[in-house]
Amino acid sequence: MKTLSTQVAIIGAGPSGLLLGQLLHKQGIETIILERVTGEYVLGRIRAGILEQGFTELVREAGVGERMDQEGEVHEGFIISDNGNCTHIDLKALTGGKTVTCYGQVEITRDLMAARAAADLTTYYEASNVQPHDVNSSQPYITFSYQGEDYRLNADYIAGCDGFHGISRKTIPAHLRTEHERVYPFGWLGVMSDTPPVNEELIYCKHERGFALASRRSATRSRYYLQVPVSDKVEDWSDEAFWEELKRRLPAEAAAQLITGNSIEKSIAPLRSFVCEPMQYGRLFLVGDAAHIVPPTGAKGLNLAASDVATLYKLLTRVYREGDTACLQQYSPIALRRVWNGERFSWWMSNMLHNYTGMEVSGMQGETFSRFMDSELHYYLNSENGRKVIAEQYVGLPYEEPL
Ligand code: RFL
Ligand code: PHB
């Protein structure tokens, strides 16, 4: 067995792991990242598109913001269509100047990978059997296999950035963690296409046939989503069927602008709200999707991962600069406060915008639940205070500074 050592071992080279590694590197803290799949595979996961201001500032702090600042689109607002009636959520005006940036998760990941390679930092892609050990002791370590050889990686701390299906969360003994979960009775079918988007701003569409979202990546690349039954398979949806259904759910002006083409990616994602508490066990810290999942309706998943990273990197910096290890106890409570806010917002937006007909929700029939949610949406959209409540959370609540 080969033995390696580092200061912070990171499991997972998704956006959480890569951003944490880069920020720690900037502070002179050494990391090694272990990733189960190849870099190309990681870049093949399309996922998020909307970045909060706090996220973009963190990416700049990591020294990786150049391309995001050049190619990312600043969005000053978005639209909510309620069965074709459009309300503009003017983020900038409603939040005193805040905006979001439309820049794909794939691009952020690519930029972070390039920065890690340029700094000659170690990442083991295609590492298998990754297993943390003794995380509740002062000498935690990880065992893994790489290119047919067995390794032991000794570290001061371990960051579990390995997503919802990772190994890190399960390392916390079951009796010490509480998992909160809600699985939604539908999924999102997503399509990426090299066609001009229907609108400059995103359109979230509530529709009696089901929710739809018109998003984008650039002036020539569109990203669209449709609410579909969880039982649907990607193969059930031809490109033609997708475009036809999308056109029905978009408001008329946008539908008239729809330019269709071949999909370059098509996938179905289930919708889930999930939180694991606490997010720390001894010297193991859970970060991002490893600890929490939100339905994508509020564009919060990646942004919550970023606020976890911000908190952990500041605390670890203090550990290595000042020897203050007690400060690490703040990680889980600080991260969880912001996580629950994002969870509530994503759950609320999902409830208001999806169609629940024929499904049972919160102990009532979907038809009844829908009446409550129709009224909720109508109330919030027709009140400036209501639009402010949506805008303030969409641009992202401030990061909490450790004491
Ligand atoms: P990831 O991206 O899942 O990365 C985890 C990495 O860990 C690796 N891994 C392991 N490595 C070693 N050993 C093991 N045992 C391992 N197990 C797993 C995996 O291979 C992977 O590379 O988690 P991370 O880094 O925490 O990032 C989280 C984000 O990916 C996620 O929150 C967002 O994509 C969610 N999300 C959105 N978030 C936003 O903020 N704004 C959005 O607009 C938005 N849209 C979305 C979304 C997610 C979606 N899907 C498909 C769930 C839209 C969709 C459709
Ligand atoms: C996306 O562009 O992929 C996207 C945008 C906003 C969301 C979810 C996904 O709320």
Side-chain angles (χ1 to χ4, degrees), residues 47-50 188 202 204 213 215 217 223 225 296-299 394:
R47 300 188 173 179
I50 294 291
W188 277 21
L202 269 60
Y204 288 79
L213 171 61
S215 183
R217 290 292 179 272
R223 179 68 166 161
Y225 296 96
T297 325
Y394 194 84

Side-chain angles (χ1 to χ4, degrees), residues 150-378:
D150 291 334
Y151 284 76
R152 173 185 171 128
L153 169 59
N154 297 321
D156 300 336
Y157 298 99
I158 299 175
C161 304
D162 48 354
F164 182 64
H165 299 288
I167 186 74
S168 300
R169 188 175 65 252
K170 293 162 201 146
T171 307
I172 304 181
H175 69 282
L176 294 179
R177 71 182 133 96
T178 306
E179 297 188 346
H180 303 273
E181 182 169 48
R182 177 179 192 201
V183 179
Y184 295 75
F186 39 72
W188 277 21
L189 168 66
V191 157
M192 186 82 96
S193 68
D194 278 327
T195 53
V198 288
N199 196 44
E200 287 191 352
E201 293 183 342
L202 269 60
I203 313 178
Y204 288 79
C205 312
K206 181 185 177 94
H207 194 273
E208 58 195 16
R209 296 181 64 88
F211 172 80
L213 171 61
S215 183
R216 53 188 282 143
R217 290 292 179 272
S218 70
T220 55
R221 181 168 285 190
S222 302
R223 179 68 166 161
Y224 297 111
Y225 296 96
L226 291 177
Q227 174 187 350
V228 295
V230 260
S231 50
D232 275 18
K233 301 270 169 292
V234 177
E235 307 78 66
D236 299 338
W237 285 89
S238 66
D239 286 358
E240 293 68 32
F242 182 90
W243 295 122
E244 208 173 294
E245 187 58 30
L246 178 66
K247 204 162 186 173
R248 288 198 189 111
R249 300 186 192 182
L250 289 173
E253 319 82 77
Q257 298 295 319
L258 182 64
I259 298 173
T260 63
N262 292 335
S263 61
I264 54 173
E265 194 263 0
K266 199 190 285 169
S267 54
I268 294 184
L271 266 64
R272 186 192 304 272
S273 298
F274 176 88
V275 181
C276 169
E277 298 174 325
M279 288 169 58
Q280 176 193 1
Y281 174 58
R283 287 176 175 243
L284 170 71
F285 299 86
L286 302 182
V287 180
D289 279 16
H292 42 78
I293 296 287
V294 288
T297 325
K300 285 287 162 265
L302 181 58
N303 291 301
L304 290 177
S307 51
D308 292 352
V309 168
T311 305
L312 186 57
Y313 122 81
K314 284 175 201 161
L315 293 170
L316 284 172
T317 300
R318 206 193 284 180
V319 168
Y320 286 102
R321 283 240 179 100
E322 302 165 22
D324 172 15
T325 53
C327 74
L328 289 169
Q329 301 302 323
Q330 296 183 58
Y331 173 67
S332 183
I334 290 179
L336 282 168
R337 272 191 285 276
R338 199 168 188 282
V339 164
W340 275 112
N341 257 303
E343 292 281 345
R344 182 185 45 71
F345 179 65
S346 307
W347 165 77
W348 181 62
M349 290 285 277
S350 300
N351 284 345
M352 286 197 298
L353 296 175
H354 288 84
N355 186 313
Y356 282 88
T357 306
M359 308 164 198
E360 185 166 317
V361 207
S362 306
M364 63 183 110
Q365 289 190 337
E367 286 71 7
T368 311
F369 184 73
S370 294
R371 293 290 186 280
F372 281 112
M373 289 303 122
D374 290 349
S375 172
E376 180 109 347
L377 183 65
H378 189 258

